[in-house]
Amino acid sequence: MSVQRAFWEHRTYPGNLAQLRQVRQDLATDLTGFPDEAVETLVLCASELFANACKYTASGQKDGQVIRTLCLRRGRLLRLGFTDDGGSGRIPQIPTERSDDEWNWAEGQRGLLMVQELSTAWGYDLTCPWTDTGTHTWALIPLPSGTALPPGLKPYIFTR
């Protein structure tokens, strides 16, 4: 019987953009045996979500950190998430008040738009709804139809 649900041990990173390389490497390692296309999509989404946590929240300040979560659902959806340290006073959202010209000239704030296009769904959960102590931003990435899961996949995967 194949595993339909699997959870990877959470990984914690310093909230520094210099950690992006490690975030990408760890994700590729953790997903060994999964289809390259899905792994590449997850790595791209991870880069954006991690960078947002570092750039827009207290995670990017001294001693800040970001926690990565990863799980497999129903044997066909990978759910990737990052929890930040809060402190932004805002929620993750795609800007909607821009004209086409403004979008064409904008240098930033395109990351969530890309995550939206690459995923089945994305969203966020406040870690503590009554205070700004962190936000968990996630994306669902489907595995290609007919994907065989890696042999020996366990319900819980230790990452270290």
Side-chain angles (χ1 to χ4, degrees), residues 117-140:
E117 293 300 314
L118 292 173
S119 65
T120 299
W122 77 276
Y124 66 90
D125 302 300
L126 301 176
T127 56
C128 187
W130 53 88
T131 185
D132 186 15
T133 56
T135 302
H136 180 74
T137 307
W138 53 267
L140 288 177

Side-chain angles (χ1 to χ4, degrees), residues 4-57:
Q4 292 296 302
R5 196 167 176 93
F7 297 89
W8 281 258
E9 181 180 14
H10 297 354
R11 288 188 182 264
T12 303
Y13 300 94
N16 184 316
L17 288 176
Q19 292 295 310
L20 260 174
R21 181 177 181 192
Q22 189 65 54
V23 170
R24 292 176 185 135
Q25 285 177 343
D26 289 345
L27 192 55
T29 298
D30 291 346
L31 293 172
T32 298
F34 281 86
D36 290 343
E37 179 184 338
V39 174
E40 289 166 8
T41 299
L42 275 160
V43 167
L44 190 54
C45 290
S47 298
E48 292 299 328
L49 296 177
F50 181 83
N52 283 352
C54 293
K55 185 174 179 180
Y56 298 115
T57 75

